[in-house]
Every structure is written in structure tokens, then in C-alpha cells.
Amino acid sequence: MAIERTLSIIKPDGLKKHVIGKIISRFEEKGLTPVAIRLQQLSQKEAEGFYAVHSARGFFKDLVAFMISGPVVLMVLEGENAVLANRDLMGATDPKKAEKGTIRADFADSIDANTVHGSDSLENAKNEIAYFFRETETQKY
Ligand code: UDP
């Protein structure tokens, strides 16, 4: 199995619900180690750039507005098969369809406010990590 890195974001609803710790515990318990963490208020430009792939979709404007409605937690998670392992922990995009015990099933209210983002491929993970973090901001322990 390969050691990978993936980008995780705890979205504004997760912060407003005060479940940062619970979510990070789930990552750590499954061997996903945060090697960089930052609390940040995204600007509109940053959120639009991050979700540029969705810019033609009907939900884009609302998605950007939601992502800047409060601060987020940006994290680089490292571990075996981190990209897929994180997606498994997150659950389906729509929390109503997410499996019991996943982060979205347990904490998310709706497809718009779905508590976490996670890179969906290794290639996207590399680009998304580089969008927010310099290599020197990641730590080894
Ligand atoms: N999204 C939405 N409405 C939709 C589909 C997606 O609001 O019908 C939002 C949702 O917050 C999702 C994000 O857009 O997390 C990115 O969509 P994607 O399909 O990449 O889902 P994800 O990878 O986050 O599960």
C-alpha cells in the first residue's frame, strides 16, 4: 500500500457545530495523520479558484457563498491510501445517501452544507494541497 497525501477541508458548518475535534479524531483513528493544519477564512476569489472545476454548475454560486460563510480548517492528511481512506470516512456527497458512521451521515445537514471536502484522486490531491500549502508548511512526526 502506498503512503499518500490528501487535502481535507472542514467546511464552515463543521466549525459552527464545534466538531473539529471529533472529525480529526476519526482521521487519526484510521491512520490519517494531519501533517499541516490551518484555520482560514477563504476569500471569494480563493473559494472560486478552488472549485473552478464546478464553475459551470448551477450550484457553484451557492457553494462559493457557503464556503466563505465562515472560517474553514484546511488540512493535509498523510497515510496509507489517504485519498480513498479519507473519501470512505467522509461518505457520499449527499448526507442522506451517506453510509451510517461516515462524517457526512453523522454531522452534515444537506448536500450544500456537507461538513467536509476531500480530494477525489491522487492527482487532484497534489493540486489541491499545492493550492493552499507550501511543502515547508508540512511537518513530519
Ligand atoms: N454540491 C452541491 N450541490 C450538488 C452537488 C455538489 O452543493 O448538487 C456541492 C457539495 O458541497 C459538494 C461540492 O459541491 O461537496 C463539490 O461537489 P463534488 O461533486 O465534487 O462532491 P464531493 O467531492 O465534495 O463529494
Side-chain angles (χ1 to χ4, degrees):
M1 289 234 252
I3 298 294
E4 297 174 351
R5 284 180 173 182
T6 191
L7 184 82
S8 168
I9 303 178
I10 305 179
K11 298 185 180 184
D13 60 313
L15 277 70
K16 285 175 186 158
K17 288 183 179 163
H18 302 281
V19 292
I20 295 173
K22 286 183 181 164
I23 291 171
I24 293 178
S25 287
R26 291 183 183 209
F27 294 146
E28 291 187 304
E29 281 158 13
K30 291 285 180 189
L32 294 178
T33 300
V35 295
I37 301 186
R38 186 165 72 242
L39 199 66
Q40 185 168 321
Q41 171 65 55
L42 298 181
S43 67
Q44 179 156 340
K45 236 177 140 185
E46 283 168 332
E48 284 172 352
F50 183 72
Y51 279 119
V53 65
H54 293 307
S55 61
R57 310 286 293 276
F59 58 81
F60 180 68
K61 228 174 143 221
D62 287 345
L63 173 61
V64 169
F66 173 68
M67 290 300 288
I68 64 171
S69 66
V72 298
V73 176
L74 304 170
M75 268 180 289
V76 179
L77 300 176
E78 186 176 276
E80 277 186 7
N81 287 333
V83 172
L84 202 60
N86 180 38
R87 295 291 298 190
D88 285 347
L89 285 172
M90 289 163 56
T93 309
D94 182 352
K96 289 201 271 319
K97 295 181 186 152
E99 260 183 71
K100 260 193 179 168
T102 60
I103 293 167
R104 282 167 165 168
D106 292 348
F107 301 118
D109 290 328
S110 65
I111 193 165
D112 320 78
N114 63 1
T115 315
V116 278
H117 166 85
S119 312
D120 63 2
S121 70
L122 196 54
E123 194 191 343
N124 285 342
K126 287 188 175 130
N127 293 332
E128 291 180 1
I129 289 168
Y131 190 80
F132 287 119
F133 291 99
R134 286 187 294 270
E135 178 61 30
T136 51
E137 291 177 285
T138 65
Q139 307 297 330
K140 288 224 172 296
Y141 57 95

